[in-house]
Amino acid sequence: MNSTEQQFLKELDDKLWKAADKLRANLDAANYKHVVLGLIFLKYVSDAFEERQRELRELFQHDSDDNIYYLPCEDFDSDEEYQQALDEELELLDYYREANVFWVPKEARWSTLKSKAALPIGSVLWQDVNGNDVKLRSVSWLIDNALDAIERDNPEKLKGVLTRVSQYEVDNDKLIGLINSFSDTSFANPEFQGQKLSLQSKDILGHVYEYFLGQFALAEGKQGGQYYTPKSIVSLIVEMLEPYSGRVYDPAMGSGGFFVSNDKFIEEHAKEWHYNPSEQKKNISVYGQESNPTTWRLAAMNMAIRGIDFDFGRKPADTFLNDQHADLRADFVMANPPFNMKDWWSESLADDARWKYGTPPKGNANFAWLQHMLYHLRPAGSMALLLANGSMSSNTNNEGEIRKRLVEEDLVECMVALPGQLFTNTQIPACIWFLTKDKTGGLSPNGVKKRARKGEVLFIDARQLGYMKDRVIRDFTADDINKVADTFHAWQRDQNYEDVAGFCKSATLANLQKHDFVLTPGRYVGAADVEDDGVPFAEKMTLLTEQLREQFDESDRLEAEIKRNLGGLGYEV
C-alpha cells in the first residue's frame, strides 16, 4: 500500500476502535468483540453484495457482443416495466454465487439495518411470508435477524459460524452508534483527502477485522493469546516458508492469522514471480483445526471476509483426540499452539502413530504438537512451529531423546531465537522450529531451486531485533523480517550466505552432537564482533580509570553538599 492508503487505514482504525471501545463500560473485551466483529462481518457481506449488484446493473444495461448479461430495454413496453424487470433480475441468487459473493437477503442488508435501527421500538418493519407484521423488538434483535438470514441463505460456508449479539444485552443507543460509525465510511470505492483509493471493500474490512482482533487480544491479555498470534511473528514465518501453492495446514489455528498472512504473501509476491495473484490463490488449499468454538467461529468469519476458501473440519475439536484432518498430508504446516500445555494427555494416545520419534511427556504438549505436525507433513513439505525456549534444551521426561532423534533423522532445518515481549499473553521466551523431511535440494513450489543441505542446520539469533511498540509490546520492522528471511533463503539456496558472529551460523550434525543436541542458537552463533577502535588496551584502561576517579570525586562533592543543605534545614545527617 502507498502512504495515503496506509494513512487512510490508520485513521479508520482509530475512528472505529474509538466507537467500539465505548462498549467497554458495559462489557468485557471477551464479549464485546463478538458484537463489534459481528457488525464488521455484516458490513462486509452487505458491501460486497451491493458492489456486485452495481456491477450487474451496469452489465444488464450495456449492449455488446460478448455481454451475456445484457437485458435489452426494447423488450419492454415502458421504462417503468424495464426498471421493475431489472430490479427483479438483480435479486437472483445465482448471479452472486457465480462471483463467490455471499447472498444477502433484503432484511440483512446494511441499508435496511441502518434505517430500521433508527425506528422506535415496536415499529412495523415488514411483513413475513404469511402476511403478518414483523415489529422491531430491539436493535440487537434486528442484528441477530440479519445474521440468521445470512447464515440461512449461505449454509455451505456459514452454518454455525456467526455469533448472535442479543445474549450480551447491549443498549439500543450504543448499537445504533456503532452502526452509524460503520456507515460513515464508504468501504466500496473509498476516497481520502480528495484522492480515490485502489483498496477494495474486502481489503479494508479484512484489515479492520485483523486490527480489531489484535486490539481485543491486548485488552483480554492472556486469554486473547488463545486466538491471536502477533502479526509480525506470523509474517516472519510466512516470509521464511513461502507457502506459495499446495495445501497449508494449521492444527492450532486460533482466528486464522497464518492463513490471512499467507493470502497477503501471495498478493505481494505473485507479480515478482510473474503470476496473477487471483489465479495463484486458486492453487492454495487451507486446512485448520481449533478446539475453542468461539475462536473457531472467529476464524471462519475471518476467512469469509477475506474470500478465502477453507476446510476447518466438521466442528471445533481437540487436535490430539479428534483429528479433523486425519488423512491430510500438507505441503506447509504452521502453528502457534499453547506453550507448555499441561492438560492434554489421554491414555488413548499411548500408542498413537504420530509419536514416531518418542512418546511426548504427559505434562507438556510441546513435542506432541511438533510430532503431530510432522505426521501431517508431505515428504517434500516444510513446517514452522512456535514453541517456548525450553523445547530447545529440556532433557526431562523424554524430551531430550525426542529432540536427539529429530536431529539424527536430519529433520531440523533452522532454529530462530526470538526477542522477549512479542506476545500479548505471555512473557515466556519463544523460538521457531523449522523442519523438513527433505534436504536433498530441488525446486520449491514457486520455482526457486534449493541446494542440498543434508547434515546442516541453520541457527539464527534474532533476540536483538525489533523495537518497543509501546511500554509492553515489542514488534518487528519490515527490515527485521527481511533480514531473517533473506538469511534463511540465502542459506537454503547457496546465495552468498555467510556466518555472522552473534546472528547466524550454519552448523553440522557433528557440532550439534558436541552440544548434546541442545538447539539454542546462542550456543552456535557466538558473540557479535566488537568493532576495533584502534586504541591500545593499556591506553584505553588508563582513560577509563581516570574517568571513574572523576565520577567518584563528583559523587563525594554532591553528597557533602546535600548534607550541608539538610543541616541548614535543621536535620541531623
Side-chain angles (χ1 to χ4, degrees):
M1 290 183 291
N2 60 42
S3 58
T4 303
E5 291 169 340
Q6 290 174 350
Q7 188 179 350
F8 165 76
L9 290 176
K10 185 181 185 309
E11 292 190 13
L12 179 64
D13 288 340
D14 293 342
K15 168 190 164 185
L16 296 181
W17 178 253
K18 185 176 180 180
D21 207 35
K22 292 177 182 177
L23 292 180
R24 191 189 294 226
N26 302 79
L27 295 168
D28 62 34
N31 290 328
Y32 82 82
K33 71 169 175 281
H34 299 299
V35 178
V36 175
L37 295 177
L39 281 172
I40 290 175
F41 181 79
L42 281 175
K43 179 64 173 163
Y44 162 69
V45 294
S46 185
D47 277 16
F49 178 87
E50 291 175 1
E51 202 170 330
R52 174 62 175 166
Q53 200 168 62
R54 285 192 294 271
E55 177 186 317
L56 286 168
R57 187 179 291 276
E58 291 181 10
L59 287 170
F60 289 146
Q61 299 176 93
H62 178 65
D63 185 9
S64 68
D65 293 337
D66 60 348
N67 184 4
I68 61 173
Y69 296 94
Y70 177 55
L71 188 67
C73 58
E74 57 267 22
D75 292 351
F76 299 90
D77 295 332
S78 66
D79 184 62
E80 183 178 331
E81 185 179 333
Y82 173 69
Q83 291 300 326
Q84 182 178 347
L86 192 60
D87 290 341
E88 290 174 358
E89 195 75 13
L90 286 168
E91 293 298 321
L92 294 180
L93 180 148
D94 288 344
Y95 287 129
Y96 302 89
R97 293 263 173 92
E98 69 184 11
N100 199 27
V101 171
F102 287 109
W103 168 256
V104 183
K106 289 182 178 180
E107 66 268 30
R109 294 172 195 171
W110 193 260
S111 55
T112 302
L113 197 65
K114 184 182 179 185
S115 62
K116 303 301 184 186
L119 296 174
I121 300 301
S123 299
V124 176
L125 302 176
W126 52 74
Q127 291 185 323
D128 63 20
V129 291
N130 298 317
N132 300 316
D133 289 343
V134 176
K135 297 181 179 180
L136 179 63
R137 304 176 199 171
S138 66
V139 178
S140 59
W141 170 86
L142 184 68
I143 295 169
D144 282 355
N145 184 74
L147 294 168
D148 287 338
I150 289 173
E151 197 168 287
R152 179 194 66 225
D153 288 353
N154 300 274
E156 67 282 355
K157 289 187 178 180
L158 296 178
K159 185 177 181 180
V161 166
L162 307 179
T163 300
R164 308 303 186 261
V165 304
S166 293
Q167 60 185 305
Y168 302 113
E169 300 179 351
V170 183
D171 292 342
N172 289 330
D173 289 343
K174 284 189 169 58
L175 289 174
I176 291 170
L178 271 178
I179 290 170
N180 289 337
S181 294
F182 284 117
S183 301
D184 285 346
T185 301
S186 173
F187 293 96
N189 304 315
E191 292 187 6
F192 183 67
Q193 297 179 347
Q195 179 179 338
K196 285 190 175 182
L197 306 180
S198 60
L199 296 170
Q200 298 179 342
S201 60
K202 179 181 73 172
D203 302 319
I204 299 170
L205 282 159
H207 167 87
V208 169
Y209 190 92
E210 185 178 7
Y211 173 78
F212 272 42
L213 282 174
Q215 292 299 104
F216 286 128
L218 280 171
E220 290 182 61
K222 185 173 182 179
Q223 189 167 346
Q226 295 177 4
Y227 60 82
Y228 183 78
T229 302
K231 183 180 176 183
S232 58
I233 302 176
V234 173
S235 298
L236 173 62
I237 288 174
V238 170
E239 287 290 337
M240 291 178 74
L241 278 188
E242 297 182 311
Y244 198 68
S245 66
R247 288 168 288 189
V248 180
Y249 173 52
D250 183 347
M253 67 181 180
S255 56
F258 280 113
F259 303 133
V260 170
S261 188
N262 188 56
D263 193 63
K264 291 180 182 176
F265 171 82
I266 292 174
E267 286 183 358
E268 292 169 4
H269 292 286
K271 291 180 181 178
E272 297 174 18
W273 297 323
H274 309 293
Y275 289 106
N276 178 291
S278 298
E279 290 299 315
Q280 188 59 36
K281 287 180 185 181
K282 295 176 183 178
N283 296 328
I284 286 282
S285 302
V286 164
Y287 300 84
Q289 182 156 348
E290 173 59 47
S291 61
N292 184 301
T294 299
T295 304
W296 187 86
R297 288 193 290 270
L298 287 177
M301 287 171 63
N302 206 0
M303 298 304 102
I305 283 177
R306 297 281 179 178
I308 301 173
D309 286 329
F310 60 91
D311 181 350
F312 291 165
R314 299 182 307 278
K315 59 182 180 180
D318 184 290
T319 298
F320 298 125
L321 298 175
N322 189 0
D323 190 349
Q324 296 285 291
H325 305 288
D327 297 326
L328 174 67
R329 298 298 179 269
D331 298 277
F332 301 96
V333 185
M334 302 175 279
N336 172 29
F339 292 170
N340 303 323
M341 184 175 163
K342 294 180 179 179
D343 187 19
W344 74 281
W345 179 259
S346 167
E347 289 305 319
S348 63
L349 297 172
D351 298 315
D352 198 289
R354 288 172 288 186
W355 317 145
K356 182 177 178 181
Y357 305 99
T359 303
K362 298 178 181 180
N364 192 321
N366 286 345
F367 283 91
W369 287 112
L370 194 150
Q371 292 191 83
H372 171 88
M373 292 168 67
L374 274 172
Y375 179 81
H376 284 284
L377 188 66
R378 283 188 59 208
S382 299
M383 61 170 269
L385 173 63
L386 270 162
L387 286 178
N389 274 1
S391 63
M392 299 188 289
S393 59
S394 172
N395 287 316
T396 59
N397 299 319
N398 206 38
E399 289 185 333
E401 286 301 312
I402 296 173
R403 188 172 58 251
K404 177 182 176 182
R405 285 209 48 196
L406 294 171
V407 172
E408 290 177 338
E409 297 275 346
D410 207 11
L411 297 170
V412 181
E413 182 167 34
C414 178
M415 300 296 300
V416 179
L418 297 172
Q421 296 180 265
L422 287 173
F423 296 88
T424 59
N425 64 316
T426 180
Q427 295 304 312
I428 297 175
C431 61
I432 312 174
W433 291 64
F434 289 87
L435 292 92
T436 183
K437 296 179 179 179
D438 183 8
K439 295 183 183 177
T440 58
L443 290 179
S444 65
N446 54 22
V448 175
K449 190 176 188 317
K450 296 180 181 179
R451 69 181 180 87
R453 53 209 184 281
K454 291 179 70 66
E456 299 177 41
V457 177
L458 177 65
F459 290 92
I460 298 177
D461 191 343
R463 290 178 297 172
Q464 302 305 313
L465 299 183
Y467 68 100
M468 293 306 296
K469 190 175 182 180
D470 53 39
R471 290 180 299 173
V472 180
I473 298 297
R474 180 178 288 273
D475 202 356
F476 284 138
T477 65
D479 288 341
D480 293 330
I481 291 172
N482 290 336
K483 179 178 181 180
V484 177
D486 290 348
T487 298
F488 181 53
H489 296 152
W491 175 83
Q492 275 187 326
R493 302 165 189 172
D494 199 16
Q495 294 177 341
N496 301 318
Y497 168 82
E498 291 182 1
D499 291 339
V500 177
F503 178 65
C504 61
K505 170 72 176 179
S506 182
T508 64
L509 297 189
N511 296 143
L512 274 60
Q513 187 175 13
K514 290 178 183 177
H515 288 277
D516 296 323
F517 303 98
V518 170
L519 300 180
T520 307
R523 289 204 176 196
Y524 301 91
V525 302
D529 291 332
V530 178
E531 186 176 346
D532 187 0
D533 58 7
V535 180
F537 175 77
E539 183 180 335
K540 187 182 296 184
M541 193 65 186
T542 301
L543 178 62
L544 291 173
T545 302
E546 178 62 23
Q547 288 177 345
L548 183 61
R549 187 188 62 76
E550 291 174 358
Q551 289 169 354
F552 280 152
D553 290 344
E554 178 66 8
S555 175
D556 291 341
R557 186 189 68 78
L558 290 172
E559 182 181 355
E561 187 172 338
I562 291 170
K563 286 180 179 180
R564 280 197 305 272
N565 290 337
L566 288 173
L569 295 172
Y571 292 97
E572 185 178 343
V573 181

Tab-separated table of all heavy atoms in Angstrom, residues 15 54 97 136 165 209 214 249 270 307 320 337 366 391 393 432 447 455 521 534:
chain	number	residue	atom	x	y	z
A	15	LYS	N	-10.729	5.614	14.383
A	15	LYS	CA	-12.119	6.074	14.475
A	15	LYS	C	-13.060	4.935	14.888
A	15	LYS	O	-13.868	5.083	15.814
A	15	LYS	CB	-12.545	6.633	13.118
A	15	LYS	CG	-14.044	6.877	12.972
A	15	LYS	CD	-14.377	7.196	11.535
A	15	LYS	CE	-15.861	7.060	11.276
A	15	LYS	NZ	-16.202	7.259	9.858
A	54	ARG	N	-24.210	-3.413	-8.194
A	54	ARG	CA	-23.925	-2.273	-9.074
A	54	ARG	C	-23.258	-2.737	-10.368
A	54	ARG	O	-23.568	-2.246	-11.461
A	54	ARG	CB	-23.024	-1.263	-8.356
A	54	ARG	CG	-23.728	-0.418	-7.309
A	54	ARG	CD	-22.855	0.739	-6.849
A	54	ARG	NE	-21.676	0.278	-6.140
A	54	ARG	CZ	-21.641	0.069	-4.825
A	54	ARG	NH1	-22.721	0.251	-4.090
A	54	ARG	NH2	-20.530	-0.325	-4.248
A	97	ARG	N	-23.582	-15.972	-6.427
A	97	ARG	CA	-22.815	-17.193	-6.155
A	97	ARG	C	-21.727	-17.403	-7.197
A	97	ARG	O	-20.618	-17.833	-6.881
A	97	ARG	CB	-23.769	-18.405	-6.140
A	97	ARG	CG	-24.758	-18.400	-4.971
A	97	ARG	CD	-24.257	-19.251	-3.824
A	97	ARG	NE	-25.097	-19.134	-2.651
A	97	ARG	CZ	-26.122	-19.931	-2.386
A	97	ARG	NH1	-26.450	-20.887	-3.241
A	97	ARG	NH2	-26.820	-19.778	-1.283
A	136	LEU	N	-40.186	-4.239	15.340
A	136	LEU	CA	-38.855	-4.072	15.920
A	136	LEU	C	-38.902	-4.319	17.425
A	136	LEU	O	-39.586	-3.610	18.160
A	136	LEU	CB	-38.338	-2.658	15.640
A	136	LEU	CG	-36.961	-2.307	16.201
A	136	LEU	CD1	-35.883	-3.182	15.567
A	136	LEU	CD2	-36.644	-0.830	15.970
A	165	VAL	N	-25.808	-11.503	18.926
A	165	VAL	CA	-25.405	-10.458	19.856
A	165	VAL	C	-26.412	-10.188	20.966
A	165	VAL	O	-26.086	-9.531	21.960
A	165	VAL	CB	-25.102	-9.138	19.097
A	165	VAL	CG1	-24.064	-9.367	18.027
A	165	VAL	CG2	-26.368	-8.530	18.505
A	209	TYR	N	-10.886	-5.960	10.524
A	209	TYR	CA	-11.147	-7.169	11.312
A	209	TYR	C	-9.864	-7.631	12.015
A	209	TYR	O	-9.862	-7.934	13.210
A	209	TYR	CB	-11.675	-8.269	10.389
A	209	TYR	CG	-12.212	-9.493	11.102
A	209	TYR	CD1	-13.559	-9.593	11.426
A	209	TYR	CD2	-11.391	-10.567	11.451
A	209	TYR	CE1	-14.075	-10.713	12.067
A	209	TYR	CE2	-11.886	-11.681	12.094
A	209	TYR	CZ	-13.232	-11.749	12.387
A	209	TYR	OH	-13.730	-12.863	13.032
A	214	GLY	N	-6.416	-7.905	17.041
A	214	GLY	CA	-5.218	-7.574	17.810
A	214	GLY	C	-5.526	-6.704	19.008
A	214	GLY	O	-4.995	-6.924	20.105
A	249	TYR	N	-1.682	-26.042	6.329
A	249	TYR	CA	-2.391	-26.603	7.489
A	249	TYR	C	-1.920	-25.957	8.777
A	249	TYR	O	-0.717	-25.754	8.978
A	249	TYR	CB	-2.132	-28.116	7.526
A	249	TYR	CG	-2.645	-28.839	8.752
A	249	TYR	CD1	-3.959	-28.709	9.189
A	249	TYR	CD2	-1.797	-29.692	9.464
A	249	TYR	CE1	-4.412	-29.401	10.308
A	249	TYR	CE2	-2.252	-30.397	10.580
A	249	TYR	CZ	-3.565	-30.242	10.993
A	249	TYR	OH	-4.012	-30.927	12.099
A	270	ALA	N	3.338	-12.465	-5.900
A	270	ALA	CA	2.984	-13.167	-7.136
A	270	ALA	C	3.517	-12.448	-8.378
A	270	ALA	O	4.058	-13.072	-9.292
A	270	ALA	CB	1.464	-13.331	-7.231
A	307	GLY	N	-12.468	-13.789	1.633
A	307	GLY	CA	-12.781	-14.546	0.428
A	307	GLY	C	-11.898	-15.764	0.251
A	307	GLY	O	-11.650	-16.205	-0.874
A	320	PHE	N	-5.522	-33.409	19.205
A	320	PHE	CA	-4.911	-34.692	19.535
A	320	PHE	C	-5.942	-35.816	19.619
A	320	PHE	O	-5.705	-36.926	19.143
A	320	PHE	CB	-4.146	-34.598	20.855
A	320	PHE	CG	-3.019	-33.615	20.817
A	320	PHE	CD1	-2.938	-32.582	21.746
A	320	PHE	CD2	-2.034	-33.690	19.846
A	320	PHE	CE1	-1.896	-31.665	21.720
A	320	PHE	CE2	-0.998	-32.785	19.797
A	320	PHE	CZ	-0.926	-31.764	20.733
A	337	PRO	N	0.827	-23.081	18.850
A	337	PRO	CA	-0.028	-23.714	19.860
A	337	PRO	C	0.253	-23.151	21.248
A	337	PRO	O	1.250	-22.430	21.436
A	337	PRO	CB	0.391	-25.189	19.776
A	337	PRO	CG	1.827	-25.132	19.368
A	337	PRO	CD	1.953	-23.948	18.453
A	366	ASN	N	4.477	-29.795	24.085
A	366	ASN	CA	5.335	-29.187	23.054
A	366	ASN	C	5.728	-30.174	21.963
A	366	ASN	O	5.583	-29.909	20.766
A	366	ASN	CB	6.596	-28.604	23.694
A	366	ASN	CG	6.316	-27.318	24.463
A	366	ASN	OD1	5.271	-26.706	24.298
A	366	ASN	ND2	7.254	-26.923	25.309
A	391	SER	N	11.929	-25.921	24.900
A	391	SER	CA	11.895	-27.045	23.956
A	391	SER	C	13.253	-27.282	23.305
A	391	SER	O	13.539	-28.386	22.837
A	391	SER	CB	10.848	-26.786	22.867
A	391	SER	OG	11.185	-25.637	22.106
A	393	SER	N	16.195	-27.181	24.795
A	393	SER	CA	17.250	-27.683	25.679
A	393	SER	C	16.785	-28.670	26.746
A	393	SER	O	17.608	-29.356	27.340
A	393	SER	CB	17.941	-26.499	26.372
A	393	SER	OG	16.993	-25.741	27.115
A	432	ILE	N	11.355	-20.386	17.111
A	432	ILE	CA	10.650	-21.000	15.980
A	432	ILE	C	11.471	-22.187	15.481
A	432	ILE	O	12.660	-22.044	15.197
A	432	ILE	CB	10.437	-20.016	14.813
A	432	ILE	CG1	9.872	-18.687	15.304
A	432	ILE	CG2	9.501	-20.629	13.777
A	432	ILE	CD1	9.785	-17.626	14.217
A	447	GLY	N	9.209	-22.266	-7.749
A	447	GLY	CA	10.217	-22.405	-8.786
A	447	GLY	C	11.627	-22.040	-8.382
A	447	GLY	O	12.516	-21.976	-9.223
A	455	GLY	N	22.567	-32.830	6.604
A	455	GLY	CA	23.516	-32.758	7.711
A	455	GLY	C	23.842	-31.361	8.175
A	455	GLY	O	24.806	-31.171	8.916
A	521	PRO	N	20.152	-21.242	19.650
A	521	PRO	CA	21.044	-20.557	18.695
A	521	PRO	C	22.241	-19.880	19.334
A	521	PRO	O	23.332	-19.857	18.747
A	521	PRO	CB	20.108	-19.539	18.024
A	521	PRO	CG	18.778	-20.198	18.064
A	521	PRO	CD	18.738	-20.907	19.388
A	534	GLY	N	40.924	0.962	17.476
A	534	GLY	CA	42.326	1.293	17.243
A	534	GLY	C	43.093	1.802	18.447
A	534	GLY	O	44.290	2.078	18.361
